[in-house]
Amino acid sequence: EDERESELVSVAEVTKKGLDVTVKSPAAYPHGRHVLEQDYVKGNSLEKLMYLGQKAEMQDFNAISEFLSAGFNEPSVFQKALASAFDAYTNCFVPVLGAMLMHDGVGHADPHAGNLILNHDDMTLWVIDWGATVDLSLQQRTGLRQLCHSVCMAEIEEPSSVASITDAEKDFVNSERPIGKEFWRFVFHPQNYEAPQGLDLDVLKKSLKQSEVVLCLETMILTSRLIKEGNRRFQDKQNKVPTPPLALLSLWDSVVGLAQPVTNLAEQQHEVRLEIS
């Protein structure tokens, strides 16, 4: 297991043509079963950049020292760094995360904003802290692929895709009772869909039988929320006319049909390249 864990966290580089940011994961080394050491990476977390972004929106001039200590001496440099970090996250990391989970069955289990570090000097977005990973069975990853695609298709051909959502849900979560398409729409696209009325997420997670499915579900919700936050910050500023917002649904459905495992992924239609060091 130590060798496998080391291999997972040595995922090295993800690049996408047209972006000025490279997404990488630092090398990490296991020490026993419970300790994982990773190389130090320089930069500011996306969490800190978002915090500074809120300060900038409020025109909080008392935060000037915080901007300077983070390495930003001009507002334009900071805004570019924040936009580039979100761009790299949504257009590179999120699709690769989906492909890893849906095809290899393994992915980062805690990709929150604090685990994404931007070095704005060389424009590298580091994905850190691979100590917690999701590990899905073949049936679960197949169900997740089918669920994502069925929810996506339900956007254009409802109600004919409702039955396929139910079937895919059985393979993915193996729940005693159907959870329903409204919940999955909320998980995959919270900007367009609200949580079903009366939903108690903690109760739902406790009702699921497999801990890996719960971990994957938490990862999906966390990722969707961060994508939604990126939409809120940049869509109105960058587009003169409304455009469809980015969502986990479309980003993951774009990699559902990959023909081979992500660990062997060459350049595909989305021009994403994954290299294993």
Side-chain angles (χ1 to χ4, degrees), residues 86-87 89-91 188-192 223-224 226-232 235 243-251:
F86 266 109
D87 199 13
Y89 172 75
T90 54
N91 291 298
F188 280 111
H189 204 334
Q191 185 151 322
N192 276 12
T223 306
S224 273
L226 194 49
I227 295 170
K228 181 180 178 180
E229 175 62 16
N231 286 333
R232 185 192 72 80
Q235 189 173 11
T243 58
L246 287 170
L248 186 67
L249 180 59
S250 57
L251 292 168

Side-chain angles (χ1 to χ4, degrees), residues 74-90:
E74 294 183 11
S76 60
V77 175
F78 166 73
Q79 293 295 343
K80 179 182 178 182
L82 181 57
S84 295
F86 266 109
D87 199 13
Y89 172 75
T90 54

Side-chain angles (χ1 to χ4, degrees), residues 109-179:
D110 197 20
H112 61 76
N115 282 337
L116 303 161
I117 309 294
L118 179 72
N119 182 341
H120 73 275
D121 291 333
D122 62 6
M123 299 309 289
T124 298
L125 182 68
W126 292 95
V127 184
I128 67 169
D129 194 4
W130 289 76
T133 57
V134 181
D135 192 354
L136 300 178
S137 68
L138 178 60
Q139 177 178 325
Q140 290 166 346
R141 71 187 80 157
T142 300
L144 181 56
R145 287 198 306 271
Q146 294 173 342
L147 181 62
C148 178
H149 188 61
S150 296
V151 172
C152 190
M153 293 304 295
E155 297 291 289
I156 58 177
E157 59 179 24
E158 189 180 18
S160 60
S161 292
V162 173
S164 61
I165 292 175
T166 302
D167 292 340
E169 180 188 290
K170 291 178 182 177
D171 285 336
F172 177 45
V173 302
N174 193 23
S175 177
E176 294 181 354
R177 62 181 65 180
I179 300 174

Side-chain angles (χ1 to χ4, degrees), residues 51 65 78 85 99 121 134 149 159 180 185 220 236 242:
Y51 162 77
S65 61
F78 166 73
D121 291 333
V134 181
H149 188 61
R185 280 177 161 172
M220 294 163 67
D236 291 339

